[in-house]
Amino acid sequence: MKHNNILKFAAFAVLSLTISCKGGAQIGNSTAVKPLYVSDPVDVDTDDPAIWVNPNDPAQSLVIGTDKDTNGGLYVFDLKGKIIKSKTVKGLKRPNNVDIAYGLLLAGKKTDIAVTTERYTHKLRIFSLPDMKAIDNGGIPVFVGETGAEYRDLMGISMYTDPSGKIYAIVGRKTGPKDGSYLWQYLLTDDGKGNVKSDLVRKFGLYSGKKEIEAIAVDNELGFIYYCDEQVGVRKYYADPAKGDKELALFGQGDFAVDNEGIAIYKTSGNKGYILVSDQGARQLKVYDRVAKANTANPHPLLTTIKYSANQTDGIDVVSVPLNTDFKHGLLVAMSDDKTFHFYKWEDIAGKKLTVNNQSN
């Protein structure tokens, strides 16, 4: 979840300003921010969204959301939350989380991809964008060699694109060891026939053992991975395997009413911005500074708490580029437990205390 891979769109995010909230919600009070749109419902159980920004026409961008069921699917929505039936993929075996990467080289062509974790087959499922064509030869097995079903039951995923253009998938699971090998990172490449193959490059990441690790987000520009160790806090690591597996920070401890769940990054000019984490069950987002403070025990301090309307939020995603006249400063999508996804204007989430990227369409 919760990666915001928009390097190719960085030209849009050149200015920033703070503006007043137009959605009737003030930061820190009891009024909840309302979504601009609520999506059509999926069949069974929404879990996690990902936003694909169309490089040719941002107004034709898509939201991909998981229906987490044994006969589940990847639902594709337009920017008003309407299901696009021709692109929706059904018949997946409990797809959990989904993320996006841009420009994977396949058969000599740069291809944008949506990658989901298919929990009960222990495979990654990969689809090209925007056509949602399967390009994975039926799925890529992960956590191979692990014993016990839950050690292979896939949960979270986030994509990392390094400065050279290599694309990695960072994958989590229902449970795993506490010794620093909970997450596995895979390099994705062409198998020589225009489909995707994977190579395991490292195992890393501490785990408390208290609940599970599902939500993962990658900051491509700054090169960090963040993930939610539920009921403990947010852990931070380098995204580049060559930089080592040392934990860089653990923050958010004690900040959540229930579970720290979905995680995403809103990026502003100058590599500033916010790390957003959903407080599951409390209908609110916790907002942390994207820029780490040096020489402090809490490098990513809590900036504010935002109440919103989505309930029992597992997954969130956000982009900070203009998409259309509805979403001039970015879009936040949050899962809600009534089988829907909520689409929020960033300026409504930001209110008077957070920054928005200012770029007219």
Side-chain angles (χ1 to χ4, degrees), residues 220-232:
N220 280 313
E221 291 80 2
L222 299 184
F224 299 118
I225 294 169
Y226 301 92
Y227 65 87
C228 287
D229 191 340
E230 293 179 24
Q231 300 185 353
V232 175

Side-chain angles (χ1 to χ4, degrees), residues 96-351:
N96 207 96
N97 282 25
V98 61
D99 202 14
I100 304 297
Y102 297 86
L104 180 65
L105 193 62
L106 297 175
K109 178 183 177 182
K110 288 187 176 181
T111 304
D112 298 344
I113 57 174
V115 185
T116 191
T117 50
E118 193 174 35
R119 182 168 170 182
Y120 287 160
T121 66
H122 311 139
K123 293 179 179 179
L124 298 181
R125 297 305 315 273
I126 304 177
F127 302 87
S128 57
L129 286 165
D131 56 359
M132 293 299 290
K133 176 185 176 183
I135 50 173
D136 57 8
N137 285 318
I140 298 174
V142 292
F143 295 115
V144 174
E146 292 288 80
T147 58
E150 288 193 334
Y151 270 55
R152 294 198 67 195
D153 282 352
L154 305 186
M155 298 284 281
I157 187 167
S158 192
M159 307 301 296
Y160 167 53
T161 303
D162 76 9
S164 73
K166 291 180 180 178
I167 293 177
Y168 299 85
I170 296 96
V171 188
R173 45 197 163 155
K174 181 66 176 177
T175 192
K178 301 178 185 178
D179 62 359
S181 59
Y182 193 100
L183 301 179
W184 289 18
Q185 184 166 350
Y186 295 85
L187 176 66
L188 302 185
T189 56
D190 192 329
D191 68 353
K193 299 179 180 179
N195 289 303
V196 182
K197 70 171 184 175
S198 72
D199 292 290
L200 177 64
V201 295
R202 69 164 167 167
K203 306 173 185 180
F204 72 102
L206 293 172
Y207 169 51
S208 68
K210 286 194 173 182
K211 195 169 182 183
E212 61 194 28
I213 293 169
E214 180 175 6
I216 311 167
V218 172
D219 188 329
N220 280 313
E221 291 80 2
L222 299 184
F224 299 118
I225 294 169
Y226 301 92
Y227 65 87
C228 287
D229 191 340
E230 293 179 24
Q231 300 185 353
V232 175
V234 181
R235 299 185 185 273
K236 176 183 180 181
Y237 288 80
Y238 286 117
D240 183 349
K243 292 188 175 181
D245 301 334
K246 179 183 178 181
E247 183 168 280
L248 303 175
L250 171 60
F251 60 94
Q253 295 173 283
D255 289 345
F256 295 86
V258 191
D259 288 337
N260 49 311
E261 274 280 357
I263 186 167
I265 302 169
Y266 185 86
K267 302 173 182 179
T268 62
S269 60
N271 280 332
K272 297 180 180 179
Y274 310 105
I275 302 166
L276 311 173
V277 184
S278 64
D279 190 349
Q280 190 182 41
R283 292 194 173 194
Q284 59 191 18
L285 295 170
K286 298 292 183 176
V287 182
Y288 300 89
D289 199 334
R290 180 187 177 201
V291 180
K293 297 185 181 302
N295 303 316
T296 176
N298 185 20
H300 294 280
L302 178 66
L303 301 178
T304 192
T305 298
I306 301 169
K307 296 182 181 297
Y308 67 169
S309 301
N311 192 48
Q312 291 291 335
T313 299
D314 271 316
I316 60 174
D317 198 15
V318 68
V319 294
S320 54
V321 296
L323 300 178
N324 58 16
T325 55
D326 284 335
F327 303 108
K328 294 180 180 180
H329 307 285
L331 163 65
L332 181 134
V333 180
M335 164 265 171
S336 191
D337 67 349
D338 58 354
K339 304 181 183 181
T340 69
F341 295 97
H342 288 197
F343 290 37
Y344 294 89
K345 298 167 66 173
W346 175 255
E347 56 265 42
D348 290 349
I349 292 290

